[in-house]
Amino acid sequence: MRYTTTVSGVEPVTMQQVKDHLRITWEEEDALIYSFLVAAREYVEKITSQAVIPQTIKAYYDNLPVFSGSLSLPLSNAVAITSVKYLDSAYAQITMPSSEYYLTVGQPNKVFFKSPAPASADQPDSVEIIYTAGYGSAPFKPFAQAIRASILVMVADLYENRESQSSQKFEQNMTVERLLGMNRELGL
């Protein structure tokens, strides 16, 4: 399964919060710091398997479940399913009625199909599920403070250690791992 995302929300930590954390008052490095902020958020999404900021996700699957079953979504914190589309055996794209499936919230989020799925073309990316997910204001879940703290720690680490570390002793920052560990989504 592959997926693409379209970010529609703002970063979970503001530039002012990052600069306060770094104790920086100048603006000359704002673009660099912002790039570290985005990289840290993307890392958190990858490690925790959660959509951190509100976004639209398109997930692609090779086929629908043959019997009533489910498909796991790649990033959790799902709020709503926008559409489920599939290629039928004649390779025509069909939009499945929303009454035929439902979203479950858990680890991981899943789309359950209420009845046996119609025959779909058995080829890569023949099923497309579009959904929204992330932390934020309603209807999204409130933002987890441990994730916010881990992003600040990672940005500080990237900023302070942006040069080659070949002459320095490099140690992994366990604070980030501990903070993210309690927010990691585990697959079944």
Side-chain angles (χ1 to χ4, degrees):
M1 163 205 22
R2 71 177 184 90
Y3 66 94
T4 62
T5 61
T6 303
V7 176
S8 59
V10 297
E11 294 299 330
V13 181
T14 66
M15 278 295 289
Q16 189 58 53
Q17 290 170 323
V18 171
K19 290 173 80 170
D20 289 348
H21 182 74
L22 295 172
R23 296 186 172 106
I24 292 176
T25 57
W26 56 91
E27 298 175 3
E28 291 79 15
E29 295 181 307
D30 281 5
L32 175 68
I33 293 168
Y34 185 77
S35 71
F36 292 157
L37 173 58
V38 172
R41 190 243 322 141
E42 289 174 345
Y43 176 79
V44 168
E45 288 180 336
K46 195 67 139 173
I47 292 299
T48 64
S49 297
Q50 296 183 53
V52 172
I53 59 176
Q55 54 197 276
T56 300
I57 301 161
K58 288 184 181 181
Y60 299 93
Y61 304 84
D62 293 346
N63 48 37
L64 290 166
V66 176
F67 301 103
S68 59
S70 65
L71 292 172
S72 295
L73 299 175
L75 294 177
S76 65
N77 292 340
V79 174
I81 303 285
T82 304
S83 66
V84 174
K85 299 177 182 180
Y86 65 95
L87 296 178
D88 67 9
S89 54
Y91 297 98
Q93 188 176 56
I94 307 295
T95 300
M96 186 177 282
S98 60
S99 61
E100 293 296 315
Y101 59 84
Y102 60 93
L103 171 68
T104 63
V105 179
Q107 295 184 354
N109 291 155
K110 292 185 176 188
V111 177
F112 276 89
F113 298 93
K114 294 179 180 179
S115 57
S120 60
D122 190 13
Q123 71 175 31
D125 300 344
S126 63
V127 177
E128 174 190 82
I129 298 176
I130 301 174
Y131 67 103
T132 55
Y135 290 108
S137 55
F140 301 98
K141 290 181 1 183
F143 199 77
Q145 293 303 313
I147 290 178
R148 180 174 281 129
S150 65
I151 289 172
L152 286 170
V153 169
M154 283 189 285
V155 171
D157 193 38
L158 288 166
Y159 183 78
E160 295 296 327
N161 299 303
R162 58 190 150 168
E163 301 298 325
S164 172
Q165 295 186 2
S166 61
S167 62
Q168 299 173 344
K169 182 179 177 187
F170 179 74
E171 294 180 14
Q172 184 174 357
N173 189 331
M174 293 307 295
T175 302
V176 170
E177 295 304 315
R178 289 182 187 114
L179 287 169
L180 292 180
M182 66 180 151
N183 287 290
R184 187 169 280 132
E185 296 285 332
L186 303 173
L188 298 175

